[in-house]
Amino acid sequence: MSDGARPRALFVGRTRYLLPLGKSIARKWDALSEELELRVLASGAREASTATDPRFVLVPSRRFDGPRFYAELPFRVARELRAFDPDVIVAESPYEGVAAQLARRLTRSRAKLIVEVHGDWHVSTRLYGSPARKLLGPLGDRLARFAVRSADGTRAVGAVMADVIRGAGREPVAVFTTYSDLGAFAGPTVPVPAAPVALFVGVLERYKNVAGLAAAWRLVAARLPDARLHLVGSGTDTEDRKSTRLNSSHTDISRMP
């Protein structure tokens, strides 16, 4: 990096983005762009879009999307290392960190690697996706520990994830809270609905105990016939949504992009 030049950062992650960016998430990347020259290598949203952003390199959604994304990721990162020549790579999780390590070796890049830990990697292969995915647990654990231990630095979302990193034998260089644009919730107030309403927003995976929510809501619906549950999310735990045995007058489901 030459004197006076902004640092160049390559962000690598599995997060899905739809271009043009929504107002809330755009504020985050625009703020970072004021401090860094950045490139984001991530997944594209399932929705079709012709919009572009020179900062974003998005992998389109395809069949067997997850396995293909990670199998190709070392080569995609290597391509960005050659074309963008960043000073630092910021990996969204240890799994992207493994790909970044392989890419650094392929290209002999001197870019530093920061591995972030947003969630416990011990559960990502066991409580997300197909139940058969748990067979990958031991391998996933070893790969995550390798990424954490071999990175130039690690960052944790909150104290709990900092302890997960320490369990792998490293001390995080930073602990931070997840990005949240509270301004996205600003706006005119609306009256509280007359009937009770509960809202769940999140991934519909076993890790979130959707089965527990379904069981609890059956009790609520029996006692409060006018109550409604609104689920906003997507994931593989669809059986628990079906198992609520609630008709449309009790439950609404909106799919996250």
Side-chain angles (χ1 to χ4, degrees), residues 51-233:
T52 60
D53 186 322
R55 301 172 299 178
F56 284 77
V57 178
L58 301 182
V59 181
S61 178
R62 303 158 296 172
R63 190 176 183 184
F64 305 115
D65 189 55
R68 291 177 67 178
F69 177 86
Y70 285 106
E72 298 171 1
L73 192 57
F75 306 101
R76 292 184 181 275
V77 175
R79 187 182 307 157
E80 295 305 319
L81 291 178
R82 295 187 181 102
F84 184 59
D85 189 24
D87 300 296
V88 61
I89 309 166
V90 181
E92 187 177 74
S93 83
Y95 300 124
E96 287 84 5
V98 171
Q101 282 286 27
L102 294 175
R104 289 204 302 180
R105 294 181 181 183
L106 283 172
T107 60
R108 298 182 180 180
S109 171
R110 295 185 179 181
K112 300 295 185 181
L113 174 61
I114 303 297
V115 171
E116 295 189 335
V117 177
H118 296 189
D120 189 345
W121 63 76
H122 299 95
V123 304
S124 63
T125 52
R126 295 173 174 88
L127 295 178
Y128 283 87
S130 167
R133 189 174 174 180
K134 65 183 180 182
L135 298 174
L136 298 174
L139 175 61
D141 293 348
R142 285 193 289 270
L143 290 174
R145 286 195 297 269
F146 163 76
V148 167
R149 291 174 178 175
S150 60
D152 296 289
T154 59
R155 294 177 3 118
V157 175
V160 174
M161 293 304 108
D163 287 339
V164 172
I165 293 174
R166 294 185 184 104
R170 290 293 300 272
E171 182 66 25
V173 298
V175 179
F176 65 102
T177 55
T178 185
Y179 171 76
S180 180
D181 181 6
L182 297 179
F185 297 93
T189 59
V190 297
V192 175
V197 177
L199 172 66
F200 171 90
V201 181
V203 292
L204 299 174
E205 301 286 353
R206 297 186 304 282
Y207 179 66
K208 296 296 185 180
N209 193 19
V210 181
L213 173 62
W217 193 253
R218 284 195 291 272
L219 298 176
V220 172
R223 299 175 184 178
L224 299 172
D226 293 335
R228 297 177 67 90
L229 170 64
H230 193 169
L231 301 176
V232 180

